[in-house]
Amino acid sequence: MARAAGNKDRPYQLVIFGASGFTGQFVVEEVSRVADGGDFRGQALRWAVAGRSREKLQDVLDWAAERLAKPQLKSIDILICDVNDAPSLAEMCKKASVVLDCVGPYRFFGEAVVKACVENGAHFVDISGEPQFLESMYLKYDSQAADKGVYIVGSSGFDSIPADMGVLFTRNSIQGTLTAVESFLSFKSGPEGTCIHDGTWQSAIHGVADQGNLRKLRKQLAFKPLPVVGKKLKRRGAVFYSNEVKEYSIPFMGADAAVVKRTQRYLHENLQETPVQYGAYVSVGGITSVITLMFAGFLFLLFTKFSFGRNLLIRYPKLFSFGYFSKEGPTPKQMAESSFTMTFFGEGYSQDQDPQQGKPNIKICTQVSGPEAAYVATPIGMVQAGVTILKEPDALPKRGGVYTPGAAFSKTKFIDRLNKAGIHFNVISKTEI
């Protein structure tokens, strides 16, 4: 099916829906930066902000204008649109080539926007780290989006661009066949520590509480197991000491593993590429950090089992997360002093070696690193995903549909765009065994 007919000639190339939210305001900043350079230099990017309150949206534009010393931002167009008002969503989508949806939790507010985009021919990008939402959108809308030539690209923020594109970068950096890779995520912060807005906390609460429905959804999807090529990757324990990063580590509880698996399935089934096994972990430091984390995790899991407990967690995020989540979010200083590094340890087979015979004979280490994850790196990822859809339509999959970032962008210059924007991909070492 041809890509959304007439889409490129719409009044706005990008519309930021939920621009007055905590994350949305930083997406506004990032779109403004992109509009001045690279792909759009010499040709004005047509963009607008959308949401329920004209006053709040104008406040965000005024705030961004002051922070970036760009008074012209004050006159960016505003579209009034409510996630609970289907006609207003349809009107917004008719005017946009790509909608950047910043309104979460997506399990409650995402589907209405996806539906409106599919029905009205607008491409869609979100920053969801919620596997149930992401996979249910695939189940419900993939064939409709394909018929309309619309691209629905989920998980295009910190969940899960570093992991998904990092695996592809690692695969592309090896001369041969990559068969397995593990990633270890670490965060750095300044003297004032770090903090995340409680919108992410709420998504995690509802996601853990609803694990049963996620299992039912995956039974409906009924995917066949991916073939295991090369040595089978062993799963690590709940807490373990990693010799790779010299710290205690735990499985990463976000959407990364699920997103990477969907990408690998798409590449294997549609492009006949060798599927890569993947394990996602996060470094937590020394034994004191492990004990604190185990205690916090026990409380979190216990409270999510009951509606009363979930309400307490939502009402007092700072208390129950030991200060890591708050209704205020991080300060500008906390954001400026924070960064992330995701290190990938992969193994595979050289070009002259049969992956089905013998042991792996190549090891590779790569890194994806960048600024503060939630409100600096996430807007970079989201905006560059939107720009890639606009600028490289012929490099996208041949049919529209519901995609992961790796599936949508594996043949594009997306990683190059991320490198230039501040999320860096590097090969650390590569050795033959």
Side-chain angles (χ1 to χ4, degrees):
M1 175 73 191
R3 294 170 178 86
N7 179 306
K8 65 181 182 180
D9 299 320
R10 295 184 174 197
Y12 307 108
Q13 292 165 295
L14 295 176
V15 171
I16 307 164
F17 180 50
S20 59
F22 193 84
T23 305
Q25 63 185 329
F26 298 113
V27 175
V28 169
E29 272 196 312
E30 188 60 28
V31 169
S32 175
R33 291 189 189 97
V34 167
D36 288 342
D39 288 307
F40 297 98
R41 186 170 294 151
Q43 182 182 2
L45 172 67
R46 306 188 309 277
W47 63 286
V49 296
R52 290 180 297 177
S53 167
R54 181 177 294 276
E55 183 180 357
K56 289 181 179 178
L57 291 165
Q58 189 61 58
D59 286 346
V60 166
L61 292 175
D62 293 346
W63 169 84
E66 185 174 338
R67 274 171 60 94
L68 301 176
K70 295 181 179 178
Q72 66 271 26
L73 291 180
K74 295 182 179 183
S75 58
I76 291 294
D77 287 356
I78 292 173
L79 307 178
I80 303 304
C81 180
D82 190 329
V83 74
N84 295 311
D85 180 358
S88 73
L89 285 177
E91 282 304 305
M92 174 186 71
C93 293
K94 287 174 184 175
K95 294 175 180 176
S97 292
V98 180
V99 173
L100 305 179
D101 183 12
C102 303
V103 181
Y106 291 93
R107 67 171 54 244
F108 301 128
F109 305 118
E111 182 173 356
V113 189
V114 170
K115 184 173 186 289
C117 283
V118 170
E119 291 177 348
N120 295 282
H123 307 304
F124 169 96
V125 176
D126 72 41
I127 47 175
S128 172
E130 305 164 43
Q132 187 176 340
F133 167 75
L134 296 164
E135 293 173 35
S136 66
M137 292 304 96
Y138 175 81
L139 181 68
K140 292 181 181 181
Y141 294 100
D142 184 60
S143 61
Q144 293 179 49
D147 289 342
K148 291 276 192 174
V150 166
Y151 293 89
I152 306 295
V153 186
S155 50
S156 293
F158 181 71
D159 284 292
S160 291
I161 279 174
D164 203 18
M165 302 311 297
V167 170
L168 294 189
F169 175 78
T170 306
R171 182 201 67 180
N172 295 342
S173 299
I174 197 171
Q175 267 80 48
T177 304
L178 182 72
T179 57
V181 64
E182 294 177 315
S183 67
F184 290 82
L185 172 63
S186 63
F187 298 101
K188 288 185 180 178
S189 58
E192 295 186 11
T194 189
C195 179
I196 301 174
H197 189 260
D198 79 323
T200 303
W201 174 252
Q202 290 183 38
S203 295
I205 292 166
H206 294 299
V208 171
D210 211 22
Q211 284 293 308
N213 283 326
L214 178 57
R215 286 191 288 271
K216 289 178 186 176
L217 170 65
R218 286 176 173 167
K219 283 184 179 179
Q220 279 183 278
L221 288 165
F223 289 133
K224 293 178 183 177
L226 281 171
V228 174
V229 178
K231 188 175 74 173
K232 185 175 176 60
L233 184 63
K234 292 180 180 179
R235 293 181 65 178
R236 310 265 192 146
V239 180
F240 62 94
Y241 184 80
S242 165
N243 289 316
E244 292 88 352
V245 295
K246 310 299 182 192
E247 286 188 343
Y248 283 96
S249 301
I250 61 171
F252 181 62
M253 302 303 290
D256 287 358
V259 170
V260 169
K261 192 169 186 178
R262 285 177 58 211
T263 293
Q264 294 304 314
R265 180 178 301 283
Y266 170 82
L267 296 176
H268 174 64
E269 293 179 351
N270 293 275
L271 303 179
Q272 290 70 55
E273 295 180 5
T274 301
V276 179
Q277 303 171 72
Y278 176 63
Y281 304 97
V282 58
S283 304
V284 296
I287 194 68
T288 304
S289 299
V290 170
I291 294 169
T292 303
L293 193 69
M294 289 176 70
F295 178 67
F298 173 76
L299 279 181
F300 185 82
L301 290 173
L302 180 66
F303 277 57
T304 54
K305 291 183 182 295
F306 311 99
S307 60
F308 174 72
R310 291 193 293 273
N311 289 335
L312 281 176
L313 289 172
I314 289 169
R315 192 170 181 183
Y316 303 107
K318 203 165 189 176
L319 174 66
F320 288 103
S321 69
F322 296 89
Y324 281 106
F325 293 87
S326 76
K327 294 183 183 295
E328 299 78 28
T331 65
K333 192 170 192 297
Q334 285 177 318
M335 288 171 57
E337 294 176 344
S338 297
S339 62
F340 78 90
T341 301
M342 189 175 282
T343 306
F344 297 80
F345 297 91
E347 63 180 27
Y349 297 77
S350 58
Q351 290 174 326
D352 58 355
Q353 181 90 5
D354 183 354
Q356 303 293 6
Q357 303 290 328
K359 295 180 180 180
N361 67 337
I362 293 180
K363 288 190 180 247
I364 185 170
C365 176
T366 64
Q367 273 187 352
V368 179
S369 59
E372 190 277 335
Y375 311 109
V376 184
T378 284
I380 289 171
M382 180 181 226
V383 174
Q384 291 303 326
V387 169
T388 302
I389 292 172
L390 290 173
K391 290 294 183 178
E392 296 188 74
D394 293 335
L396 300 176
K398 291 181 180 178
R399 67 186 281 278
V402 178
Y403 291 99
T404 59
F409 303 133
S410 71
K411 305 302 180 187
T412 70
K413 297 177 182 175
F414 186 45
I415 289 176
D416 293 340
R417 296 177 192 279
L418 293 170
N419 266 313
K420 290 174 184 174
I423 298 176
H424 301 295
F425 293 71
N426 292 292
V427 175
I428 304 303
S429 65
K430 186 162 47 175
T431 57
E432 288 204 25
I433 303 167

